[in-house]
Amino acid sequence: MYTIKEVAEMMNVSEHTLRFWAKNGFIPDIERDRNNIRLFSEHTLGWVKIVKCLRNVGVDLKSVKKYIDLCLVGDSTIQERYEIILDTKKKALERNAPRLVAESVRFELTR
């Protein structure tokens, strides 16, 4: 089991962010010790990794929460989760298209 401070250091996420995610249901199944301190298991670290990954690629908080909730429902939601990922990919490509084209042209010029 890991404290919030340890998880923050391991995952390179602020303690404040972890508390926000925990409080708002982005990280299910967090345990607490007798002093009410959050304890993260290997299982909950997996949720932290998922949330961090989704946020890093630009998924908004509402969609992250929906994704987590769908995961908790189970396999019947795989298609819906896949659609969230595809939508994220589409938005990322649209947002980064000009930069990707410029880098591609620059690469071709240097060959």
Side-chain angles (χ1 to χ4, degrees), residues 31-84:
E31 296 179 32
R32 291 184 180 258
D33 68 9
R34 66 176 181 263
N35 296 317
N36 206 31
I37 294 175
R38 290 179 183 91
L39 296 174
F40 294 75
S41 65
E42 292 297 327
H43 175 75
T44 52
L45 287 180
W47 289 112
V48 173
K49 289 175 187 176
I50 290 169
V51 174
K52 181 179 177 186
C53 179
L54 292 171
R55 292 296 292 146
N56 283 345
V57 296
V59 179
D60 62 273
L61 288 171
K62 183 179 176 182
S63 296
V64 172
K65 179 65 171 119
K66 182 177 181 179
Y67 187 89
I68 297 299
D69 291 343
L70 290 170
C71 287
L72 294 172
V73 171
D75 289 349
S76 65
T77 66
I78 289 173
Q79 184 60 40
E80 244 181 302
R81 288 183 267 159
Y82 182 65
E83 289 168 14
I84 291 171

Side-chain angles (χ1 to χ4, degrees), residues 1 3 14-16 18 35 48 51 73 81 108:
M1 300 298 268
T3 65
S14 73
E15 292 178 41
H16 174 77
L18 288 170
N35 296 317
V48 173
V51 174
V73 171
R81 288 183 267 159
E108 289 298 321

Side-chain angles (χ1 to χ4, degrees), residues 92-106:
L93 288 172
E94 289 169 355
R95 186 172 54 247
N96 293 307
R99 181 183 57 80
L100 295 172
V101 169
E103 287 178 11
S104 175
V105 168
R106 188 170 42 248

